[in-house]
Amino acid sequence: MSIGRPLSFDPEQALDRVSEVFRQRGFEATSLQALLAASGLSKSSLYQQYGNKQRLFEQCLEHYGERIENEMRRGLEQAASGRDFIAAVLEQVISEAAPPGGCLIFNTASDLGQLDARVARRVNRFFVRFRAVLITALEQDQANGLLPEPVAARDLANVIMASIGGLRLLSKGGMQQAELRRSCALILTLLERPAHR
């Protein structure tokens, strides 16, 4: 065991705590002291365990993305329908709107964009996995005759992802939750099969 590393050090828990700091503050505004406090490591142990701040951030993106994907898949398994699952995802977006809010991945996409190729690749990998879960949810509803026809699940998933990104951006800009909820209600109408007359 490295000198300076706490006996109770848990890499998974440390990444959870550090990811939360990055989520709240962003990469640039997160200081070394904040990382040391969150991880419980000394400076030398932090660098030995994770490398530098950039590499630690990249590991946090991967760790955070995997956790969110797993939570989404569990949520889909428990939901009565794909629409109910997507409604829950949208509600989660709204609940995270209060500052310091947001999602580490979406925040990173808007803050860093294409400035860092390694970070951009990790963000894109998460978006691909996120979209795959949405497609699964929508295809389930298609198979059960619950979606409008003809609508491609992949196209709907892209619209929903774009809507989520927009909602997160609007919430960061100060839009009130009541307005966000009205927007979510309109988004969900895309998933409603028209009533037969």
Side-chain angles (χ1 to χ4, degrees), residues 50 52 54-59 61-62 108 112-126:
Y50 299 109
N52 55 28
Q54 174 76 19
R55 294 298 176 88
L56 174 57
F57 182 64
E58 291 171 8
Q59 289 184 58
L61 286 174
E62 199 69 33
T108 300
L112 298 181
Q114 299 297 313
L115 295 178
D116 187 300
R118 291 169 62 95
V119 168
R121 283 195 296 271
R122 281 170 169 76
V123 168
N124 185 63
R125 280 204 298 270
F126 170 77

Side-chain angles (χ1 to χ4, degrees), residues 10-157:
D10 183 322
E12 295 292 308
Q13 290 182 3
L15 284 175
D16 281 337
R17 294 192 296 268
V18 172
S19 295
E20 181 62 14
V21 174
F22 279 129
R23 185 187 72 83
Q24 292 183 14
R25 303 184 184 188
F27 176 77
E28 294 294 343
T30 298
S31 66
L32 175 60
Q33 285 305 118
L35 296 175
L36 296 178
S39 66
L41 293 173
S42 66
K43 183 177 178 179
S44 60
S45 293
L46 183 78
Y47 286 139
Q48 184 174 2
Q49 179 72 27
Y50 299 109
N52 55 28
K53 178 183 174 182
Q54 174 76 19
R55 294 298 176 88
L56 174 57
F57 182 64
E58 291 171 8
Q59 289 184 58
C60 284
L61 286 174
E62 199 69 33
H63 176 75
Y64 184 93
E66 288 177 359
R67 180 169 61 80
I68 296 301
E69 181 188 3
N70 290 335
E71 289 175 1
M72 288 181 66
R73 292 194 180 280
R74 286 195 297 270
L76 178 56
E77 290 174 0
Q78 296 167 5
S81 68
R83 184 187 184 282
D84 285 353
F85 163 72
I86 291 168
V89 171
L90 292 173
E91 179 59 34
Q92 180 68 25
V93 171
I94 294 172
S95 70
E96 293 173 351
C103 162
L104 176 61
I105 306 292
F106 278 90
N107 289 351
T108 300
S110 62
D111 292 343
L112 298 181
Q114 299 297 313
L115 295 178
D116 187 300
R118 291 169 62 95
V119 168
R121 283 195 296 271
R122 281 170 169 76
V123 168
N124 185 63
R125 280 204 298 270
F126 170 77
F127 284 157
V128 169
R129 299 199 304 261
F130 185 11
R131 184 176 64 170
V133 179
L134 293 176
I135 290 172
T136 299
L138 294 165
E139 287 178 340
Q140 289 178 4
D141 278 9
Q142 275 186 330
N144 292 322
L146 300 176
L147 280 182
E149 296 179 358
V151 179
R154 184 174 298 274
D155 292 337
L156 269 178

